[in-house]
Amino acid sequence: MGFRSKSLVCLLAFLLLSSFSFSQGTNKSTFLLDGFEDGNFWTTAADSSLNWTASNMALECSINSDWCTQGKKCAEFSFGPMNKVHQASFACTELFEPDWGKYREIVIDFNNTGAQAISVNVAFLDRENWNWTVCKSALLEPGENRDVRFSLVENIRNRKNEKAEAIQSGNELYCALIQIIGNNKGGTLLVDNIRLVK
């Protein structure tokens, strides 16, 4: 095989590998809902249009650049001490993708900066019927908790903790909530790389 032939084979191999790497990096089944690089679209539920203050221990929501798993920024959720009747709810009413019915789960990276494990869930309010729906909660150990998965199709509950149907495709959401629940001493939770997965 001559020099030109070897060069052509190497070039073709390089292009093939490059196209494979690119296709792996642009996974069409995953949608980045929020990486916090474009600003903060989340707030405490009390400061949002929900004006939800009852039993809500969410104190502040801001941008943090000390930790991230995607880009250079994350959200910082601060919350006060809670018992089982409290929650700390952080809301987003400006969802870049409001149709979650096309997806099977939401995946989030967390950094629990406290010394104790905390429980977190994801809830959402649809525009059609104004129904609250809640995903099964996850337990976050102290430190990094990457790729925490919340199913959007299984173990879904309504606000009365009764079994509920998954949101239907085409039914837009008005609001999404990340909620810290249960007994804890309060603290700070860092949040990044919120993805919707088909």
Side-chain angles (χ1 to χ4, degrees), residues 121-197:
N121 66 30
V122 175
F124 40 92
L125 175 65
D126 70 56
R127 286 185 186 275
E128 185 176 343
N129 303 307
W130 300 101
N131 288 329
W132 282 108
T133 313
V134 182
C135 299
K136 184 178 180 181
S137 64
L139 186 68
L140 306 182
E141 297 294 338
E144 288 192 5
N145 296 258
R146 294 192 183 207
D147 299 325
V148 178
R149 298 178 180 274
F150 301 89
S151 176
L152 297 173
V153 296
E154 298 175 354
N155 299 309
I156 304 296
R157 299 282 172 174
N158 62 22
R159 73 169 107 194
K160 296 178 182 177
N161 201 29
E162 300 165 336
K163 186 175 181 180
E165 295 296 321
I167 190 166
Q168 300 301 306
S169 183
N171 186 4
E172 290 194 353
L173 299 186
Y174 170 70
C175 176
L177 295 169
I178 295 176
Q179 298 181 301
I180 301 155
I181 57 175
N183 290 302
N184 65 70
K185 298 176 181 178
T188 300
L189 179 66
L190 304 180
V191 183
D192 197 17
N193 203 13
I194 304 176
R195 291 147 283 161
L196 294 168
V197 180

Side-chain angles (χ1 to χ4, degrees), residues 73-145:
K73 299 174 185 175
C74 71
E76 180 176 322
F77 294 170
S78 299
F79 55 100
M82 299 187 293
N83 60 36
K84 63 183 180 180
V85 301
H86 293 116
Q87 76 285 321
S89 297
F90 299 88
C92 178
T93 57
E94 300 177 67
L95 294 169
F96 189 53
E97 168 57 278
D99 183 2
W100 290 16
K102 300 183 291 188
Y103 302 92
R104 296 189 57 81
E105 60 184 357
I106 184 167
V107 183
I108 307 175
D109 294 338
F110 296 101
N111 187 347
N112 175 7
T113 65
Q116 67 175 139
I118 56 175
S119 293
V120 173
N121 66 30
V122 175
F124 40 92
L125 175 65
D126 70 56
R127 286 185 186 275
E128 185 176 343
N129 303 307
W130 300 101
N131 288 329
W132 282 108
T133 313
V134 182
C135 299
K136 184 178 180 181
S137 64
L139 186 68
L140 306 182
E141 297 294 338
E144 288 192 5
N145 296 258

